[in-house]
């Protein structure tokens, strides 16, 4: 199955923009493009999913076993004409000295040709030793071509191409000009999410037009077709039949960070997913449980405060013992107030604390957690190891809980990361679990099954 890997020498080189443009340009040619994103990320996948018309799936060494990565990759590629994997950070960047969790390692594991995106601002002949070094660093890695990005002029492009062609045998597959039209607005955690951007379609179309004009799409597709078929993994185990439940999913401009395979796992486990908007809907839906994912509630804090009937409805659901799971932005929404600079807004008030937006990241990256005896969800019937499990997850937040209550009960002990206070995460209050950590239903974690079992127990089912 045709597939390729979009990577770069370093972050912010333009690989997301190129990936968005390729997804839409090939889609407009009638191809079914299946996008993937390396590592934990919600924002880039939203853009890639919107550009391609198909949900983007994450491939992550931290939370997934290698055979699980190959199985998921093969499963999602079924029926697609082309798989496009967008890397994160730089091609060889890794916290592991041997690069075991790098983009290069994933590209080799999936046998994907790598397209290297180079930010060429201020660069000329020096591009040649850069490319030669990247190729020599790991001769086993297939660098199939290079895309020159942020090129200033035709003369600049000619100088770069001449140097690459003279000193290397790496094909130049395209030259993207330095063009403001290629830029998507950014926030403190990366690009503005596609679910919030009113101009998302216009941005995608503009980027796709420029990519189609400046990139050799046919040559790139031919390179992708040289990739071998991915290894077919074991089928997803069937979940025993259980009582159907309705789960409300907060999804709007304030909340939109959900892994599509997690939502699919919830549905496979017997949940009817009912989307609602804490920003615009007058009240929460009639459901058996609520799930508030991450997002940017701070950008909608005035609207969230103004929707008093929704806030009171959520607070009442929690007070009556309704089971709720909240991650990051959801945690922020459930606190008393949210403060950003001089602005303070009233939120749900289920958690007696204020959340403050900070200028610098308060927690960003992978986390390792250990469940405490207070963890509220029952053990999974299908988990491989249910004793004091170490949970691999991630966190991305510029907010912090101001003065965490000394009597709070926590679901997790933080082994790596920040969480609520550097030592704990996962506030447990009645049937509510609110955490800065983002879980993913992979690696034997089975969080969706456990949450649904919790919901059914709360119902007495």
């Amino acid at each position: 199955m045709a597939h390729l890997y979009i990577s770069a020498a370093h972050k912010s080189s333009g690989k997301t923009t190129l990936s968005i443009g390729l997804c839409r340009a090939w889609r407009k040619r009638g191809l079914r493009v299946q996008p993937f994103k390396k590592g934990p990320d919600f924002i880039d996948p939203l853009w890639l999913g919107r550009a391609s018309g198909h949900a983007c799936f994450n491939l992550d060494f931290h939370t997934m076993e290698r055979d699980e990565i190959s199985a998921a990759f093969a499963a999602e590629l079924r029926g697609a004409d082309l798989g496009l994997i967008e890397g994160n950070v730089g091609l060889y960047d890794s916290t592991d000295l041997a690069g075991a969790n790098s983009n290069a390692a994933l590209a080799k594991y999936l046998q994907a040709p790598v397209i290297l995106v180079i930010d060429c601002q201020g660069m000329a002949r020096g591009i040649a030793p850069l490319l030669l070094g990247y190729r020599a660093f790991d001769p086993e890695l297939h660098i199939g071509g290079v895309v020159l990005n942020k090129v200033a002029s035709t003369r600049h492009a000619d100088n770069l191409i001449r140097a690459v062609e003279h000193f290397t045998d790496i094909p130049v597959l395209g030259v993207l000009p330095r063009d403001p039209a290629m830029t998507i607005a950014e926030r403190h955690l990366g690009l503005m999410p596609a679910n919030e951007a009113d101009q998302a379609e216009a941005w995608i179309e503009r980027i796709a037009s420029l990519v189609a004009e400046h990139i050799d799409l046919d040559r790139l597709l031919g390179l992708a077709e040289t990739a071998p078929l991915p290894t077919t993994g074991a089928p997803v185990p069937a979940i025993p039949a259980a009582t159907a439940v309705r789960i409300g999913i907060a999804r709007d401009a304030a909340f939109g960070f959900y892994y599509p395979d997690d939502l699919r796992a919830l549905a496979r486990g017997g949940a009817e997913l009912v989307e609602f908007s804490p920003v615009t809907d007058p009240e929460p839906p009639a459901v058996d449980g609520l799930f508030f994912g991450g997002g940017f509630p701070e950008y909608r804090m005035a609207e969230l405060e103004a929707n008093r009937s929704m806030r009171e409805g959520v607070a009442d659901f929690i007070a009556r013992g309704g089971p709720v799971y909240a991650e990051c932005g959801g945690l922020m929404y459930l606190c008393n107030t949210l403060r950003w600079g001089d602005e303070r807004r009233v939120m749900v008030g289920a958690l007696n604390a204020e959340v403050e937006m900070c200028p610098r990241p308060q927690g960003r990256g992978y986390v390792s957690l250990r469940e405490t005896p207070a963890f509220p969800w029952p053990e999974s019937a299908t988990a491989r190891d249910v004793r004091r499990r170490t949970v691999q997850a991630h966190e991305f937040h510029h907010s912090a809980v101001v003065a965490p209550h000394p009597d709070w009960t926590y679901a997790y002990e933080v082994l790596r990361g920040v969480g609520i206070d550097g030592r704990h995460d996962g506030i447990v209050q009645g049937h509510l679990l609110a955490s800065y950590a983002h879980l993913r239903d992979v690696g034997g974690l089975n969080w969706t099954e456990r949450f649904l079992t919790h919901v059914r127990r709360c119902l007495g089912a």
Side-chain angles (χ1 to χ4, degrees):
M1 176 65 67
H3 59 278
L4 50 80
Y5 202 110
I6 307 297
S7 192
H10 55 79
K11 64 178 297 185
S12 302
S13 294
K15 58 184 178 292
T16 300
T17 304
L18 174 62
S19 298
I20 291 169
L22 289 173
C23 283
R24 178 55 62 88
W26 274 321
R27 178 184 177 185
K28 293 176 78 169
R29 287 189 171 193
L31 296 177
R32 186 186 188 280
V33 184
Q34 177 57 61
F36 300 88
K37 174 70 180 183
K38 181 191 182 288
D41 193 330
F42 293 107
I43 297 175
D44 290 356
L46 284 171
W47 283 101
L48 295 173
R50 185 157 187 167
S52 67
H54 299 282
C56 178
F57 292 86
N58 297 70
L59 306 173
D60 182 14
F61 285 127
H62 180 70
T63 55
M64 304 172 73
E65 302 290 344
R66 283 179 172 255
D67 59 350
E68 191 174 20
I69 289 175
S70 57
F73 184 63
E76 299 307 330
L77 272 183
R78 290 192 194 105
D81 298 303
L82 172 69
L84 184 146
I85 311 150
E86 187 206 337
N88 62 349
V89 296
L91 177 61
Y92 291 116
D93 291 332
S94 175
T95 56
D96 178 72
L97 186 60
N101 54 11
S102 66
N103 289 280
L106 183 59
K108 286 199 296 184
Y109 182 64
L110 298 177
Q111 301 183 72
V114 173
I115 307 304
L116 201 58
V117 183
I118 302 296
D119 180 346
C120 295
Q121 293 184 102
M123 183 177 288
R125 183 171 176 267
I127 192 172
L130 173 67
L131 293 177
L132 289 170
Y134 268 70
R135 167 157 287 177
F137 190 76
D138 186 352
E140 296 180 359
L141 180 67
H142 181 198
I143 298 179
V146 61
V147 169
L148 310 179
N149 191 29
K150 300 181 184 178
V151 176
S153 64
T154 301
R155 181 181 177 184
H156 186 202
D158 290 342
N159 289 336
L160 290 164
I161 293 171
R162 190 165 60 248
V164 174
E165 291 181 343
H166 180 77
F167 292 105
T168 84
D169 61 352
I170 300 176
V172 176
L173 299 174
V175 178
L176 291 172
R178 191 166 62 208
D179 190 333
M182 298 283 284
T183 303
I184 298 174
E186 294 199 14
R187 283 197 183 151
H188 43 262
L189 293 181
L191 298 180
M192 176 183 290
N195 65 309
E196 288 187 59
D198 295 334
Q199 298 178 326
E201 275 300 311
W203 271 329
I204 291 171
E205 284 293 317
R206 192 161 56 240
I207 291 168
S209 177
L210 287 167
V211 164
E213 179 182 355
H214 295 284
I215 301 294
D216 192 336
L217 296 177
D218 292 329
R219 195 173 179 188
L220 207 58
L221 182 59
L223 180 63
E225 289 172 341
T226 66
L229 291 171
T231 303
T232 303
V236 176
I239 298 176
T243 304
V245 292
R246 286 166 54 87
I247 303 296
I249 307 292
R251 204 166 200 176
D252 56 17
F255 306 97
F257 294 174
Y258 300 96
Y259 286 118
D261 38 345
D262 281 14
L263 297 181
R264 192 164 60 189
L266 285 169
R268 196 170 62 245
E272 177 189 351
L273 305 184
V274 183
E275 294 188 4
F276 71 102
S277 170
V279 173
T280 60
D281 289 344
E283 59 186 14
V287 291
D288 304 308
L290 294 174
F291 178 19
F292 292 91
F296 289 102
E298 63 271 24
Y299 282 92
R300 303 286 176 163
M301 56 196 290
E303 296 159 88
L304 290 169
E305 179 187 59
N307 194 350
R308 182 173 179 175
S309 60
M310 173 61 73
R311 291 189 290 106
E312 290 179 344
V314 171
D316 180 65
F317 182 84
I318 294 171
R320 289 186 287 107
V324 176
Y325 177 47
E327 292 183 344
C328 199
L331 179 154
M332 296 163 64
Y333 179 58
L334 297 183
C335 287
N336 285 337
T337 53
L338 174 55
R339 187 172 79 223
W340 193 2
D342 295 330
E343 185 176 4
R344 176 188 274 108
R345 296 290 181 173
V346 176
M347 296 290 110
V348 170
L351 297 172
N352 187 20
E354 179 171 79
V355 173
E356 178 181 17
M357 292 299 299
C358 304
R360 298 179 62 83
Q362 299 302 293
R364 186 166 188 165
Y366 289 127
V367 298
S368 294
L369 312 168
R370 180 181 293 131
E371 292 180 9
T372 71
F375 191 87
W377 301 343
E379 298 290 3
S380 165
T382 59
R384 290 192 292 267
D385 179 10
V386 298
R387 292 185 177 275
R388 297 280 283 168
R389 181 187 298 104
T390 298
V391 175
Q392 307 297 350
H394 61 97
E395 61 182 348
F396 296 98
H397 54 103
H398 270 244
S399 72
V401 176
V402 178
H405 198 283
D407 294 332
W408 271 349
T409 299
Y410 293 100
Y412 305 116
E413 172 191 354
V414 174
L415 306 179
R416 170 188 176 183
V418 177
I420 302 292
D421 60 3
R423 296 179 299 118
H424 308 98
D425 201 4
I427 305 164
V428 179
Q429 186 172 292
H431 296 311
L432 163 67
L433 172 59
S435 173
Y436 268 124
H438 294 282
L439 302 183
R440 191 163 172 225
D441 199 66
V442 292
L445 186 59
N446 303 82
W447 82 259
T448 59
E449 179 189 344
R450 300 179 73 186
F451 176 58
L452 292 179
T453 301
H454 174 64
V455 171
R456 293 182 178 103
R457 286 194 179 183
C458 292
L459 292 171

